[in-house]
């Protein structure tokens, strides 16, 4: 089971949507210490705050896409400036497959 809640989902029409999440952190890290990478299936991504939020927003988008909607953008709205983040859909799909396998084995 997945659960989560974004701050704002904007429907541009009856199918297309964008997700915006408001963050008030002092600073949003865009680099990891020593360029440390995340664990599989996100192992090509640096392990920093913006990528963590990108995966979080991507999971929200993934859940909506399972219902037939189409994601056209993911954004972190930070007080310094908004940041458009990449939708790592293939990595999220792989993570979901791994999770399904883990659940079937338990």
């Amino acid at each position: 089971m997945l659960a989560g809640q974004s701050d704002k989902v904007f429907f541009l029409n009856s199918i297309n949507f964008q997700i915006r999440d408001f963050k008030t952190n002092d600073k949003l890290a865009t680099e990891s210490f020593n360029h440390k990478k995340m664990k599989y299936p996100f192992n090509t991504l640096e392990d920093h705050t913006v990528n963590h939020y990108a995966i979080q927003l991507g999971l929200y988008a993934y859940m909506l896409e399972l219902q037939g909607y189409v994601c056209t953008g993911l954004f972190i709205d930070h007080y310094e400036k908004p940041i458009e983040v990449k939708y790592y859909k293939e990595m999220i799909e792989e993570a979901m497959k791994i999770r399904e396998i883990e659940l079937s084995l338990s």
Side-chain angles (χ1 to χ4, degrees), residues 20-47:
R20 301 189 87 90
D21 213 31
F22 304 102
K23 299 298 180 193
T24 58
N25 309 42
D26 282 341
K27 192 168 188 172
L28 294 177
T30 57
E31 291 182 5
S32 62
F33 181 73
N34 286 337
H35 301 285
K36 179 183 173 206
K37 303 288 186 187
M38 293 188 192
K39 294 185 180 189
Y40 185 82
F42 305 103
N43 56 320
T44 59
L45 303 179
E46 284 200 24
D47 190 3

Side-chain angles (χ1 to χ4, degrees), residues 76-93:
I76 298 170
D77 283 331
H78 190 257
Y79 70 88
E80 288 182 347
K81 67 176 182 176
I83 302 169
E84 184 169 10
V85 296
K86 186 169 179 186
Y87 181 15
Y88 298 109
K89 184 175 182 174
E90 293 80 16
M91 293 179 193
I92 290 168
E93 288 173 334

Side-chain angles (χ1 to χ4, degrees), residues 48-82:
H48 58 70
T49 310
V50 170
N51 279 342
H52 294 181
Y53 290 142
I55 293 167
Q56 176 188 1
L57 296 178
L59 279 165
Y60 299 153
Y62 179 78
M63 288 187 279
L64 284 167
E65 286 188 339
L66 289 175
Q67 303 303 312
Y69 299 104
V70 177
C71 180
T72 62
L74 302 173
F75 299 87
I76 298 170
D77 283 331
H78 190 257
Y79 70 88
E80 288 182 347
K81 67 176 182 176

